[in-house]
Amino acid sequence: MTAPAPVTPRHDPAPRHDAAACAETVARLRAHRQPRALVIGNPNTGKSTLINALAGTHLKVGNWSGVTVEKREAQLRRGDQTVHLLDLPGAYSLSPHTPEELITRTALLDEAPDVLLNVLDAGNLERNLYLTLQLLEFRVPLALALNLVDEARNKGLAVNSGVLGEELGVPVVETVGSKGMGTAELLNVTLVGAQVGHALRYPAPIETAAADLEHRMASLQTLPPHAHRYLALSLLEGDPSLRGRLNATGHAALVEAADVHRAALDAAGLDPLIEIAEARYARAGEIARRAVPQFESKLTLTERLDKLALHPVLGIPLFLGLVLLVFRLTFTVASPFVGLIGGPLQAVLSGWAVGLLGWAPLLKDIVVGAVIPGVGTVLSFLPTLLVLYLAMSFLEDSGYMARAAFLADRLMRGLGLDGRAFIPLILGFGCNVPAIYATRTLERRTDRVLVSMILPFMSCSARLPVYVIFSAALFPRAGAWIVWSMYLLGMAVAFAFAWVLRKTSLPAEGGGVLLELPPYRFPAWKVMWHHAARRTASFAKRARTTVLATVAVVWVLLSVPAVSGQAFGQVQPRQSLFGEVSQAISPVFAPLGFGSWQATGALVPGFIAKEVVVGTLGQIYLGEQAVKAAPLGLLAGLTQAALGTWDALKTSVQSLPGIVSLPSFGADTSTELKSPLAAALGQAFTPAGGLAYLVFILLYTPCVATIGALQAEHGRRVAWLTVAYELAIAWVAAFAVYQVARHLL
Amino acid sequence: MGDVTLDTLLPGQVAHVVALDQAHPLRRRLLELGFIRGARIEIVRRAPLGDPLQLRLNNTDLALRAADLVGVRVRL
């Protein structure tokens, strides 16, 4: 009889890690009073939702130092143990390609984890297992959360978690984060059941090389022992960022040793990168086939939705319609509350301040003139931001944003950007601030800076009222056209500026473009709300200093009399330092057709927030006094504030049905036509000068909130460089428009 | 024999990976995502503006530009 036919070898379960050391790490975890757990998973596995369900109100969100990536942590008590849970950014592998993935790898090496919790998408086992197999290279106890099992079942996938656990040698808990299913058990299993599982065995030449590198590390004692096997394999794969890190920390000899192995393997016709990836996928496929016995392929909801969302003809109009809907939602729902904060609420607070601080006139002036309007300016951004962030979270978490990037990719190619860069630009039409933060999703730093620098040319919703009133005053019959042309001009300038930046200071880095199209999901409301509320709050925290300081400076300028014989805080705008400064600057704008001190003066508040430009124009041209606050009793104030809030709420809800209608600027224009301000502006500006003024308003400078965001994301230099460039571009563009228009109009 | 580059496929076609170019800018990333020898890739559709292309692999949808598909050799 000949030798028996070879049986397909079951995976060799012999542990790749030292058994005694493994037992010790498990024992240490169970005895540890304050174990550290790292939560790791691919993007789009519902990890955030699961962590929210697990940690609830204990979740603390901060930032990783040096980068603007969220750091989510929680302390949870279980019996006599207090677990320190650290949620790491989503990653497909532990060879980092983005700053976020780098954080995940660094944490695994440096945070001395006592246990790892790997979250997997049950509907996409094979690819998720690639990361799991990498985590098994670490000599750290591991537990798996098989998440989204409900969704997988709907797709016809029934994962046998018992088999999965057996194959990997670690415990598996089935979870549905959005329903809180399995979370209690998950915490238990992570602390009590986690095991150092079966690490994968690679082809012999790779294992020999890895063993040699591990041996070298063992004698070094400078690298964390729990990571030796992972480090050895990554070095053989030639991971560039790991090589950099080890070279920088005095381990150049190790990198050299790895290179010798790589050269030898290469000479033998083996590319470790391919060998390792193939071994992992072969094993992942094997496990997936065993753990998912039945699989019926169904046309999924995602495929059906994509047929529409990515339709050759309907896809793009649908996208534009959605964008329009988001802005109208933002505008109609938020603007009554913006008005409430700027109007009734500020009036009430000022009233109280006047009543309470009557004994200290200077203090009263500071509070009423600078502090309350300053805080009010910061707060008045919040309703817009909250609504926009909610809408954005919905589009992001549902998976639609990825489709938008797919649709727009071709457009952005000419600028050396990919489709993902289109999303912040579109958001910019709503408000530049969240748009700047949205550039974080871009992989390359030069791309993030480039998009942020051109973003302020996207005409945000706060600039619209200025266009509307000027078109009413000067171009009553072509109002809508003027407004649309401003938006188009902003985009044209943005793209031209991007092109110039690419040619000069921010060259495209090249490299391929890979977009993910995750399955559509209905976002969890709680998570969306958390995201939006926290992003809004973080804006308030970051921008408040810049905004408050600027408001205070303008107030001082307006209060200091430039003419002798007048008291501080008791001057007309023209006689204040503000008037003097405006007058002094105004000749700069004469070639643009609006060289009066009034026109110049109204530009200054636009630097703080574009919303206030129209108000300032009114103040200056109609001689309207800034609302003089009258002292207000506690009760009267509360009543007034409550009435204002009720009104805002009512207006906001009532306007909701209107958002699906098509926008029309014509209606706005006709009502504004009768306003005295429009009439005054009609007197003060020539049509050509007015047009140039609008162009200037569109382009001249980001508001302080946007400058604050730019500074937070890219540093002071980029922020102020952007301001300088944009002032210059605005001047040139307005000059050109005026010179052409005055011959035509 | 029979090898083509992935950019030459039409929507609806299915192919199996033969190799990635050594110099492919996304080589590492694609290997990690499962562009290994024998992997089954389906071209789902082209974006409305002609590029990029939507691919399906291991039950996952990805999009790559035609220019980046040139470096992926496949067999039908």
Side-chain angles (χ1 to χ4, degrees):
Chain A
M1 226 174 92
T2 52
V7 185
T8 318
R10 249 190 97 81
H11 178 66
D12 166 19
R16 223 57 62 218
H17 294 294
D18 176 49
C22 292
E24 194 206 309
T25 60
V26 173
R28 199 174 53 216
L29 165 67
R30 290 186 194 159
H32 206 310
R33 300 294 297 258
Q34 297 185 314
R36 279 178 79 76
L38 301 185
V39 187
I40 303 166
N42 280 10
N44 303 310
T45 51
K47 190 160 66 80
S48 302
T49 312
L50 183 66
I51 295 299
N52 269 24
L54 194 66
T57 51
H58 297 284
L59 197 64
K60 298 239 171 350
V61 183
N63 260 324
W64 293 92
S65 58
V67 281
T68 45
V69 176
E70 277 174 14
K71 183 176 189 176
R72 299 149 45 86
E73 296 173 274
Q75 308 257 9
L76 299 177
R77 287 200 60 84
R78 190 204 145 270
D80 57 352
Q81 287 181 302
T82 303
V83 198
H84 186 94
L85 210 67
L86 183 56
D87 184 18
L88 299 175
Y92 290 108
S93 81
L94 298 177
S95 340
H97 301 268
T98 63
E100 304 199 350
E101 289 179 339
L102 186 63
I103 289 172
T104 298
R105 209 262 305 273
T106 307
L108 270 165
L109 294 180
D110 298 345
E111 296 274 337
D114 295 299
V115 61
L116 306 178
L117 174 57
N118 181 200
V119 182
L120 292 92
D121 172 1
N124 204 340
L125 204 53
E126 204 166 329
R127 198 180 75 180
N128 279 255
L129 280 172
Y130 186 90
L131 179 66
T132 310
L133 290 170
Q134 260 186 319
L135 292 175
L136 285 169
E137 319 284 12
F138 287 86
R139 201 183 62 211
V140 181
L142 174 70
L144 303 191
L146 189 64
N147 199 25
L148 305 170
V149 282
D150 53 342
E151 195 183 286
R153 249 176 244 133
N154 290 338
K155 275 205 283 187
L157 292 165
V159 183
N160 185 332
S161 57
V163 171
L164 183 63
E166 243 169 67
E167 292 287 331
L168 296 167
V170 297
V172 182
V173 180
E174 295 186 13
T175 55
V176 179
S178 57
K179 294 176 189 146
M181 185 198 117
T183 50
E185 194 195 347
L186 183 62
L187 193 60
N188 255 330
V189 166
T190 304
L191 291 175
V192 178
Q195 293 290 341
V196 182
H198 311 320
L200 184 58
R201 182 191 283 284
Y202 299 98
I206 306 263
E207 284 292 345
T208 312
D212 173 59
L213 292 175
E214 282 179 75
H215 182 71
R216 285 165 196 264
M217 286 183 228
S219 58
L220 280 176
Q221 303 199 324
T222 45
L223 295 166
H226 71 268
H228 282 180
R229 185 175 165 82
Y230 161 77
L231 290 171
L233 289 165
S234 295
L235 277 173
L236 290 175
E237 286 179 299
D239 183 332
S241 70
L242 184 65
R243 291 166 61 94
R245 179 186 152 123
L246 290 179
N247 276 327
T249 51
H251 298 95
L254 199 60
V255 177
E256 270 171 45
D259 284 344
V260 172
H261 282 299
R262 279 161 55 82
L265 289 165
D266 190 50
L270 289 175
D271 180 342
L273 185 63
I274 291 183
E275 296 298 326
I276 291 175
E278 286 187 352
R280 284 188 186 139
Y281 267 104
R283 179 75 182 126
E286 186 186 30
I287 296 172
R289 277 191 300 279
R290 288 195 182 129
V292 192
Q294 337 108 283
F295 171 56
E296 27 175 330
S297 188
K298 291 183 189 171
L299 187 65
T300 61
L301 179 68
T302 293
E303 285 168 72
R304 260 176 271 162
L305 283 175
D306 270 347
K307 279 210 167 115
L308 180 67
L310 306 179
H311 189 274
V313 180
L314 298 177
I316 289 176
L318 190 75
F319 168 58
L320 295 177
L322 269 174
V323 169
L324 201 64
L325 190 72
V326 167
F327 292 144
R328 290 180 66 82
L329 186 76
T330 309
F331 201 72
T332 40
V333 174
S335 62
F337 293 99
V338 176
L340 170 71
I341 290 166
L345 286 192
Q346 267 193 52
V348 168
L349 283 181
S350 304
W352 283 340
V354 170
L356 287 174
L357 299 171
W359 49 274
L362 182 63
L363 184 62
K364 185 201 76 188
D365 281 352
I366 293 174
V367 169
V368 175
V371 177
I372 293 179
V375 175
T377 308
V378 178
L379 292 182
S380 68
F381 274 94
L382 302 189
T384 314
L385 285 181
L386 187 66
V387 179
L388 202 55
Y389 275 138
L390 272 174
M392 208 167 93
S393 291
F394 184 85
L395 292 179
E396 251 169 41
D397 297 353
S398 65
Y400 185 76
M401 280 295 198
R403 271 72 188 179
F406 179 71
L407 293 174
D409 184 68
R410 180 69 188 84
L411 279 180
M412 307 307 287
R413 207 168 72 183
L415 292 175
L417 295 168
D418 67 62
R420 278 165 292 194
F422 196 62
I423 292 158
L425 291 178
I426 288 290
L427 279 175
F429 286 126
C431 177
N432 288 177
V433 175
I436 302 253
Y437 291 120
T439 59
R440 282 177 198 176
T441 51
L442 307 181
E443 272 166 39
R444 289 178 276 266
R445 203 192 88 86
T446 49
D447 293 358
R448 291 194 289 272
V449 174
L450 178 81
V451 174
S452 301
M453 286 183 81
I454 65 170
L455 250 171
F457 292 134
M458 298 288 144
S459 184
C460 66
S461 59
R463 282 172 246 189
L464 181 61
V466 189
Y467 308 151
V468 170
I469 193 139
F470 268 85
S471 358
L474 301 167
F475 310 97
R477 271 167 305 151
W481 289 106
I482 298 288
V483 172
W484 277 115
S485 62
M486 286 299 135
Y487 281 85
L488 292 178
L489 179 69
M491 281 167 76
V493 172
F495 280 75
F497 186 43
W499 187 82
V500 171
L501 284 174
R502 274 294 189 220
K503 293 285 164 212
T504 53
S505 48
L506 295 167
E509 282 171 44
V513 172
L514 176 75
L515 307 172
E516 327 276 342
L517 300 171
Y520 289 102
R521 270 180 203 138
F522 204 84
W525 290 112
K526 230 183 181 171
V527 176
M528 259 173 60
W529 171 255
H530 273 284
H531 269 199
R534 216 177 19 67
R535 283 167 171 179
T536 309
S538 104
F539 158 77
K541 222 167 23 184
R542 281 156 192 256
R544 72 183 164 199
T545 330
T546 328
V547 177
L548 281 178
T550 320
V551 173
V553 167
V554 172
W555 173 76
V556 169
L557 288 177
L558 269 166
S559 305
V560 174
V563 190
S564 61
Q566 295 216 14
F568 182 84
Q570 306 292 319
V571 287
Q572 290 291 311
R574 174 65 188 92
Q575 267 99 49
S576 68
L577 203 51
F578 177 82
E580 277 305 302
V581 172
S582 305
Q583 178 72 47
I585 302 173
S586 59
V588 173
F589 299 112
L592 317 187
F594 51 90
S596 69
W597 80 267
Q598 295 98 322
T600 309
L603 293 173
V604 177
F607 179 65
I608 299 171
K610 311 284 176 194
E611 281 95 336
V612 295
V613 171
V614 171
T616 314
L617 285 168
Q619 228 169 318
I620 294 176
Y621 280 103
L622 303 177
E624 278 168 11
Q625 286 295 309
V627 190
K628 279 282 171 213
L632 211 56
L634 181 66
L635 197 64
L638 283 178
T639 319
Q640 213 169 310
L643 282 177
T645 312
W646 174 243
D647 271 347
L649 207 63
K650 217 167 53 184
T651 320
S652 179
V653 173
Q654 280 171 349
S655 57
L656 263 178
I659 60 171
V660 286
S661 65
L662 279 173
S664 104
F665 300 110
D668 302 348
T669 318
S670 65
T671 50
E672 296 284 351
L673 198 57
K674 298 169 198 114
S675 88
L677 177 57
L681 291 174
Q683 295 285 308
F685 284 83
T686 63
L691 199 59
Y693 196 69
L694 287 188
V695 170
F696 198 79
I697 292 271
L698 164 72
L699 305 172
Y700 76 126
T701 174
C703 65
V704 275
T706 307
I707 298 172
L710 275 168
Q711 196 169 315
E713 290 295 291
H714 308 298
R716 201 172 293 255
R717 196 173 148 268
V718 170
W720 294 101
L721 217 60
T722 307
V723 174
Y725 272 127
E726 277 160 29
L727 278 169
I729 291 170
W731 194 93
V732 172
F735 176 76
V737 166
Y738 177 64
Q739 295 304 332
V740 173
R742 83 191 164 118
H743 293 293
L744 296 178
L745 293 172
Chain B
M1 178 195 84
D3 288 6
V4 291
T5 55
L6 197 49
D7 60 302
T8 58
L9 267 61
L10 296 171
Q13 278 191 295
V14 173
H16 294 267
V17 176
V18 174
L20 288 177
D21 272 6
Q22 277 292 329
H24 198 292
L26 294 166
R27 188 159 180 266
R28 242 161 216 292
R29 180 116 274 198
L30 293 179
L31 279 170
E32 286 168 4
L33 287 171
F35 279 65
I36 51 169
R37 225 175 321 167
R40 177 186 188 276
I41 295 181
E42 179 189 347
I43 305 278
V44 181
R45 60 167 65 81
R46 244 173 219 287
L49 297 176
D51 201 26
L53 286 93
Q54 182 184 354
L55 319 175
R56 188 163 299 149
L57 153 107
N58 287 339
N59 217 355
T60 307
D61 285 2
L62 303 168
L64 285 165
R65 289 178 179 170
D68 293 325
L69 295 178
V70 177
V72 184
R73 271 182 294 127
V74 294
R75 185 162 299 171
L76 290 174

